[in-house]
Amino acid sequence: MNHLRELDWKLLFFAFLGCYLIPWLVVGTLVSAIIPADGTAISGWKQVVLNSYLAVYFVAMPLAAGYFTARFSKNRPQLHVLLVVLLGTVAVMFVTSNSLSVQAVLFAASLAVASLGAFVVLRKVPR
């Protein structure tokens, strides 16, 4: 039995696109336009913008991905959540130059937050 045939590849693609790629591009572009890259100190409302970006990056995107993937998965929602977080982490590895240990911590944190999003959907018992 081929388990890859049972995966919903369209769901994984749209979860990655809608919960990781589009928010990262939109919010990242906005933040890079507001915050200078010349190394000057950030303070005031620019610090609030940067903190908001970090909240979106580390909390909102994995939470939305976990919720969306678990909500619309027809079978094995936990596996789909794991795969979409893995896909998001691999995509981040291509655009950043962090060490492997930092990427592993990022993956674990993203998986924990995505699991929380999936828990909201999966805790409901069908009646």
Side-chain angles (χ1 to χ4, degrees), residues 13 19-20 22 34 36 48 58-59 72 82 87 89 93 96 103 127:
F13 173 74
C19 298
Y20 279 105
I22 292 174
I34 293 173
V48 173
F58 288 112
V59 178
F72 294 108
L82 173 69
L87 189 61
T89 304
M93 288 177 77
T96 62
Q103 294 297 334
R127 294 179 184 184

Side-chain angles (χ1 to χ4, degrees), residues 38-63:
D38 59 359
T40 59
I42 300 171
S43 63
W45 65 275
K46 290 182 181 181
Q47 184 68 40
V48 173
V49 169
L50 181 63
N51 290 341
S52 299
Y53 173 70
L54 293 175
V56 166
Y57 186 77
F58 288 112
V59 178
M61 290 183 346
L63 189 69

Side-chain angles (χ1 to χ4, degrees), residues 11-117:
L11 175 69
L12 291 174
F13 173 74
F14 285 117
F16 172 72
L17 185 72
C19 298
Y20 279 105
L21 189 62
I22 292 174
W24 181 70
L25 288 174
V26 170
V27 176
T29 303
L30 179 68
V31 169
S32 66
I34 293 173
I35 297 177
D38 59 359
T40 59
I42 300 171
S43 63
W45 65 275
K46 290 182 181 181
Q47 184 68 40
V48 173
V49 169
L50 181 63
N51 290 341
S52 299
Y53 173 70
L54 293 175
V56 166
Y57 186 77
F58 288 112
V59 178
M61 290 183 346
L63 189 69
Y67 181 86
F68 178 82
T69 306
R71 171 75 172 88
F72 294 108
S73 176
K74 292 180 177 52
N75 61 1
R76 298 184 181 180
Q78 295 94 344
L79 178 63
H80 283 86
V81 170
L82 173 69
L83 290 175
V84 78
V85 170
L86 183 64
L87 189 61
T89 304
V90 168
V92 168
M93 288 177 77
F94 283 123
V95 297
T96 62
S97 61
N98 292 333
S99 67
L100 188 58
S101 60
V102 171
Q103 294 297 334
V105 170
L106 176 67
F107 173 72
S110 294
L111 186 60
V113 174
S115 298
L116 180 64

